[in-house]
Amino acid sequence: MPGTNLTREEARARAELLRVDSYDIDLDLGSAREGGTFRSTTVVRFTATTPGADTFIDLVAPGVEEITLNGAALDPASFTDSRIPLPGLAAENELRVVANCAYTNTGEGLHRFVDPVDGETYLYTQFEVPDARRVFANFEQPDLKAAFTFTVTAPTGWVVVSNSPTPVPVGHGDTQVWTFEPTGRISTYITALIAGPYVGVFDAYENGDQRVPLGVYCRPSLREFLDAEAVFEVTKQGFDYFQEKFDFPYPFAKYDQLFVPEFNAGAMENAGAVTLRDQYVFRSKVTDAAYESRAATILHELAHMWFGDLVTMEWWNDLWLNESFATFAEAVCQAEAPGSKWPHSWTTFANQMKTWAYRQDQLPSTHPIMAEINDLEDVQVNFDGITYAKGASVLKQLVAYVGQDAFFQGVRAYFKRHAWGNTRLSDLLGALEEASGRDLKSWSRAWLETAGINVLRPSVVLNTDGEIESFAVLQEAPALPAGAKGEAVLRPHRIAIGLYELVDGALVRVERIELDVDGARTEVPQLVGRHRPAVVLLNDDDLSYAKIRLDEDSLAVVTEHLGGFTESLPRALCWASAWDMTRDGELAARDYLSLALSGLGRETDIGVVQSVQRQVRLALDAYTDPAWRETGLQQWAAAAEEFLRGAEAGSDHQLAWARTLASVARTDGQLGLLEGLLDGSVELKGLAVDTELRWTLLVRLAATGRADEAAIAAELERDNTAAGQEHAATCRAARPTAEAKAEAWASVVESDELTNYVQEAVIVGFQQSDQRELLAPYGAKYFAAVKGVWETRSHEISQQIIVGLYPALQVTQETLDATDAWLAAAEPAPALRRQVVESRAGIERALKAQAVDRAAASA
């Protein structure tokens, strides 16, 4: 039985049979304040290439009241297994389905949220991948596009937003009716509905005769924190940049951005009605890295209006192309758009996106960028570092290979040729080949159809005078992880080599050489006969996707002067290389800590600082010899306090170090400092102990037994908001008692009443790295429960539990054995198996890294 799944073959057969013309969707949300179910009426008109054939339409709902196909009533009881059979189609068909659909609290379908501040109800839809069918009956696949007309009944006084401009509601009394104009031909998964007493701020993008209305919305309880002007500024920069580069006007009638509660992802590219997680409405001080991240998300979703919404993949195997292009577009726009506040975006890309990609590409589940997606369950676990970050990295290399002008010339032709349609990868590559004159078939085979990472190392031989006698770039293709499909391959790379010298203590690039690397060894004759520079950096400017290594002399200089690079990107590349080496067991975790302690004091890029802070903590928790771990944590905590006290008052660095100390404080003095900051008896000049920082302090105090239930309740009374309730849940789950852990476990695993955000908060509190003994009994409980969780919970909820409660803190052979035994006996579905296998890989890597760290202590 298919359950809620849909195979690629089923979708292909249905696409060959049908052409969908339009949907009229009538939703009665008058019951929203009470919850439960809502009435959904769908009329869909479509043609069939083979009259008399059978097909089905998708629906996930508690019940169906009426099914009428071409005037003939069908038995509502035929609705089963998330499908309504449609027998004996005519050439032209009209189907009417009346269903009772359910509000959700999981962030899927039509999510319902009650704000504890005002007691009001807020709704929004989230449909990607297959959840429009939770709201209305439809053919849930991206290549069956249609025009959508929404009619919505909702409480009087609400705001209702969809893909088309919001009409004036009609009617009197408790409810009103909004009737929207039809959309253009779009896919089901980018339709949207947002409803509730949201508040909006409005502007317009104007360019000559073009005028696009802009709206930014949030809940009233967040309005005082909504910096709409900053959102509009980034949005308009994106409009200018993308319309120039794409040579295609924005294709929809308006552009709304809605910050919504309990959103599972960063944002969603609903056509003309983008939804974003409302943590992007910052209610406390954040670092500039957070503003940069929000801007990147805004630009990512805006790029999707063309790449994904106007032109859409035929099937989910080309999901990577949607997400990779938008990820590349966000970075290049930030780097190049006039007036951008983040021209260093490629540093952030190297530091965060590529680190994510490298990690994902070394898991047993690694896959080619162009993955084989056989069904919906495959794609739901494929929103990963390869789909987003590796794909964008490869697109960046492709731009370097064909040239940016030719790349965007091809993209322009692609949009004009396929507007409002569906495409495959070959359609884009064909347009790029025409524009560049290059044959990209072999490039595609090497980069898009194979898995794994290459490693680039320099080979430097000096003569007796210290001049370079030979220089080559060595390329390696490490074997793919056990269980991964395919074979490791060497690939062609377009890279730059940066030559750096020490000038008054600073590392300054004195020359740059760009070349193609192919095969196991590529000679670089341009460097022969030259004086050896202080540092030779492969893949400078981060043009290609490869892990880089430094030669011995360069590594020695970088170790001592990592903060001395005058530009942020080479520093980020060196930090990333050191982290790769730590994860790969080429650098002991304690040596990575030493590098961080010596280098972070001179690191000016706050995004790099915060990434290294997270990586140090992971190295200490997972990759150090357990016998030395506490020593390392004490060193890190002491350094965090020193950096905090020495940071410039009010600076981003001060805030970042305050948060780091709050996560690792362990001595009486350090914990006393946290208590003093929280109760106001201690002040650090410039450090605003605001709402979010107070919760960060309290979580650590709760986890160490220094804050009890009364302290948590008092803080919640100060901040009785949705975010405050989530933080309180984290604090309660973090308490170092068996009772607190049992309560947290039961609320997540044995009950399904928690919302997606509260569940996530409980899981975060439950998994405290200083509480390994307390958590040890839950390994066996995890394996006893996890299959049932997968089979009974929604995708988002089950994934939180499967990944979040895996016994990752129990880095032992016993955990590997228990995982292997479960995998052998449980017969898990492929998507469930993938998530558990990926978690297992973390234990295996950590054990190897711990052995390296242990050996370093005795070396």
Side-chain angles (χ1 to χ4, degrees):
M1 297 175 69
T4 56
N5 206 0
L6 175 74
T7 70
R8 182 178 183 179
E9 289 307 312
E10 289 175 317
R12 180 181 289 127
R14 192 161 62 174
E16 291 175 354
L17 176 64
L18 305 180
R19 185 189 189 279
V20 186
D21 299 314
S22 66
Y23 290 86
D24 290 328
I25 301 153
D26 192 324
L27 303 175
D28 186 347
L29 306 180
S31 63
R33 291 194 176 105
E34 291 75 38
T37 62
F38 59 93
R39 186 178 178 89
S40 169
T41 302
T42 303
V43 176
V44 55
R45 298 173 182 86
F46 59 98
T47 59
T49 58
T50 307
D54 301 338
T55 189
F56 61 91
I57 197 166
D58 305 295
L59 178 69
V60 177
V64 171
E65 294 184 4
E66 175 190 332
I67 307 169
T68 304
L69 177 61
N70 298 327
L74 302 181
D75 184 358
S78 66
F79 167 55
T80 183
D81 222 21
S82 304
R83 298 180 178 189
I84 298 174
L86 303 178
L89 297 178
E92 296 186 1
N93 301 273
E94 180 176 290
L95 171 69
R96 173 182 164 90
V97 177
V98 180
N100 293 313
C101 295
Y103 300 103
T104 74
N105 66 355
T106 66
E108 302 152 297
L110 183 57
H111 184 86
R112 178 180 176 273
F113 168 86
V114 177
D115 191 335
V117 175
D118 60 16
E120 289 283 1
T121 300
Y122 298 85
L123 308 176
Y124 66 86
T125 56
Q126 170 57 24
F127 290 160
E128 190 176 35
V129 172
D131 289 322
R133 57 189 173 159
R134 295 182 184 272
V135 176
F136 58 93
N138 69 84
F139 300 108
E140 190 83 270
Q141 59 191 77
D143 58 345
L144 288 178
K145 287 187 167 185
F148 294 81
T149 301
F150 285 96
T151 301
V152 180
T153 301
T156 297
W158 274 23
V159 170
V160 180
V161 177
S162 186
N163 307 98
S164 299
T166 298
V168 175
V170 298
H172 304 281
D174 294 337
T175 61
Q176 292 182 299
V177 177
W178 286 256
T179 302
F180 291 84
E181 290 295 317
T183 69
R185 290 187 62 80
I186 58 177
S187 300
T188 55
Y189 78 93
I190 57 171
T191 60
L193 178 68
I194 303 91
Y198 291 91
V199 292
V201 180
F202 305 98
D203 200 342
Y205 171 75
E206 296 180 340
N207 183 359
D209 294 334
Q210 181 188 29
R211 186 179 189 277
V212 180
L214 305 177
V216 172
Y217 295 80
C218 70
R219 289 176 283 137
S221 60
L222 291 175
R223 176 64 184 89
E224 65 179 296
F225 309 112
L226 179 63
D227 50 341
E229 291 307 312
V231 174
F232 287 136
E233 180 183 10
V234 173
T235 303
K236 291 177 183 180
Q237 288 172 355
F239 266 87
D240 282 339
Y241 186 84
F242 293 144
Q243 289 196 144
E244 177 193 351
K245 294 298 183 183
F246 301 162
D247 191 29
F248 197 108
Y250 173 72
F252 301 104
K254 50 88 177 178
Y255 193 66
D256 290 325
Q257 296 174 90
L258 302 105
F259 294 93
V260 296
E262 299 184 330
F263 196 73
N264 286 321
M268 177 61 204
E269 66 268 21
N270 311 306
V274 169
T275 43
L276 304 96
R277 59 169 48 221
D278 63 13
Q279 287 93 333
Y280 280 136
V281 179
F282 303 121
R283 61 191 200 126
S284 294
K285 178 178 170 60
V286 295
T287 68
D288 187 63
Y291 287 102
E292 181 184 1
S293 176
R294 182 180 70 179
T297 300
I298 289 170
L299 295 171
H300 182 104
E301 305 311 321
L302 181 57
H304 270 312
M305 296 300 109
W306 289 267
F307 214 110
D309 292 5
L310 174 68
V311 182
T312 312
M313 69 223 156
E314 182 179 287
W315 176 246
W316 296 104
N317 58 306
D318 279 327
L319 169 69
W320 77 272
L321 197 52
N322 273 14
E323 299 304 343
S324 298
F325 185 91
T327 303
F328 168 79
E330 78 188 40
V332 72
C333 180
Q334 284 185 302
E336 298 181 0
S340 170
K341 295 179 179 178
W342 299 281
H344 60 279
S345 60
W346 289 121
T347 297
T348 304
F349 182 85
N351 178 48
Q352 296 180 10
M353 278 292 177
K354 294 188 84 167
T355 297
W356 178 27
Y358 294 152
R359 175 190 173 276
Q360 189 79 44
D361 218 359
Q362 294 177 88
L363 292 173
S365 58
T366 186
H367 55 83
I369 293 173
M370 195 170 72
E372 187 63 32
I373 301 296
N374 294 311
D375 55 30
L376 294 179
E377 290 184 357
D378 278 354
V379 71
Q380 286 180 303
V381 294
N382 226 49
F383 287 79
D384 59 17
I386 294 174
T387 297
Y388 283 76
K390 181 179 179 179
S393 303
V394 169
L395 284 182
K396 184 183 181 186
Q397 185 199 222
L398 178 60
V399 172
Y401 181 56
V402 303
Q404 189 178 95
D405 290 345
F407 177 80
F408 280 117
Q409 182 183 341
V411 167
R412 292 178 195 122
Y414 173 80
F415 288 140
K416 289 180 173 62
R417 192 173 298 163
H418 300 289
W420 306 106
N422 294 90
T423 60
R424 302 177 180 180
L425 170 65
S426 57
D427 296 310
L428 177 63
L429 290 184
L432 294 176
E433 285 179 333
E434 292 172 12
S436 67
R438 287 181 177 266
D439 183 352
L440 298 178
K441 296 180 182 63
S442 59
W443 176 89
S444 175
R445 284 193 296 271
W447 279 105
L448 304 181
E449 300 171 30
T450 61
I453 316 173
N454 298 132
V455 181
L456 302 181
R457 301 179 188 270
S459 171
V460 187
V461 177
L462 304 180
N463 61 24
T464 55
D465 295 326
E467 296 174 339
I468 297 175
E469 187 172 285
S470 72
F471 189 102
V473 179
L474 308 182
Q475 181 182 183
E476 302 167 6
L480 298 183
K485 297 179 181 179
E487 297 181 357
V489 297
L490 300 178
R491 300 184 179 92
H493 297 264
R494 183 71 179 177
I495 71 166
I497 300 176
L499 310 181
Y500 291 82
E501 295 287 6
L502 275 168
V503 180
D504 297 328
L507 282 168
V508 179
R509 187 165 75 180
V510 295
E511 191 167 345
R512 176 186 186 274
I513 299 170
E514 191 168 320
L515 72 156
D516 290 318
V517 170
D518 205 354
R521 181 182 179 94
T522 301
E523 300 291 341
V524 187
Q526 300 97 311
L527 295 179
V528 174
R530 302 176 54 132
H531 170 75
R532 194 220 137 79
V535 173
V536 179
L537 182 59
L538 300 186
N539 199 30
D540 204 3
D541 296 328
D542 201 32
L543 300 181
S544 191
Y545 175 82
K547 297 197 292 186
I548 61 170
R549 296 293 182 257
L550 299 169
D551 65 90
E552 186 175 343
D553 291 341
S554 296
L555 181 60
V557 174
V558 167
T559 300
E560 187 174 353
H561 299 280
L562 200 160
F565 284 100
T566 56
E567 300 296 328
S568 61
L569 182 52
R571 291 199 307 272
L573 294 175
C574 290
W575 279 117
S577 178
W579 179 238
D580 282 335
M581 293 172 68
T582 305
R583 294 188 72 250
D584 291 351
E586 298 177 30
L587 181 69
R590 65 189 66 198
D591 293 333
Y592 183 74
L593 172 62
S594 296
L595 179 65
L597 295 178
S598 66
L600 281 175
R602 296 185 63 186
E603 181 54 65
T604 57
D605 188 295
I606 189 60
V608 173
V609 169
Q610 290 179 284
S611 287
V612 174
Q613 288 170 337
R614 291 189 293 268
Q615 290 162 356
V616 167
R617 186 59 196 268
L618 175 57
L620 290 170
D621 285 342
Y623 298 158
T624 53
D625 178 6
W628 186 82
R629 181 184 294 129
E630 183 57 32
T631 300
L633 286 166
Q634 290 174 7
Q635 291 181 13
W636 182 235
E641 182 177 0
E642 182 179 350
F643 280 126
L644 168 61
R645 293 186 182 277
E648 179 184 350
S651 66
D652 284 355
H653 284 66
Q654 183 188 48
L655 177 59
W657 284 114
R659 290 185 171 278
T660 297
L661 178 61
S663 72
V664 75
R666 48 213 325 101
T667 67
D668 283 342
Q670 291 161 357
L671 293 168
L673 174 58
L674 302 192
E675 289 172 328
L677 290 170
L678 190 60
D679 66 22
S681 61
V682 175
E683 293 185 4
L684 294 177
K685 183 180 178 181
L687 182 65
V689 185
D690 53 24
T691 303
E692 289 296 323
L693 184 54
R694 290 182 63 84
W695 281 114
T696 302
L697 299 170
L698 189 60
V699 168
R700 183 60 181 167
L701 293 171
T704 54
R706 306 272 290 229
D708 59 11
E709 170 58 30
I712 299 169
E715 194 63 29
L716 181 57
E717 187 175 354
R718 286 176 59 112
D719 180 34
N720 192 16
T721 63
Q725 291 180 357
E726 292 150 17
H727 290 312
T730 297
C731 289
R732 290 176 173 131
R735 291 171 297 171
T737 67
E739 293 78 12
K741 297 305 174 187
E743 180 183 336
W745 178 271
S747 70
V748 171
V749 178
E750 298 167 14
S751 170
D752 63 356
E753 295 181 1
L754 298 182
T755 69
N756 52 338
Y757 266 36
V758 175
Q759 175 178 285
E760 182 179 36
V762 172
I763 291 171
V764 168
F766 180 86
Q767 293 279 38
Q768 295 292 311
S769 60
D770 292 333
Q771 299 172 356
R772 286 179 173 81
E773 292 185 8
L774 202 56
L775 295 172
Y778 289 92
K781 293 181 179 181
Y782 172 89
F783 291 112
V786 66
K787 188 174 182 181
V789 166
W790 171 259
E791 292 174 343
T792 59
R793 307 290 183 91
S794 72
H795 169 74
E796 291 288 348
I797 292 294
S798 64
Q799 183 168 260
Q800 281 185 6
I801 298 171
I802 293 160
V803 176
L805 290 181
Y806 181 84
L809 293 172
Q810 310 300 323
V811 182
T812 64
Q813 184 61 45
E814 288 74 17
T815 301
L816 289 183
D817 293 341
T819 307
D820 291 340
W822 181 86
L823 289 168
E827 299 182 349
L832 172 58
R833 170 180 286 275
R834 170 176 170 167
Q835 293 173 74
V836 174
V837 166
E838 287 183 350
S839 298
R840 180 196 184 280
I843 301 290
E844 190 171 39
R845 180 175 292 274
L847 286 171
K848 292 177 181 177
Q850 287 181 5
V852 170
D853 191 67
R854 191 176 303 115
S858 58

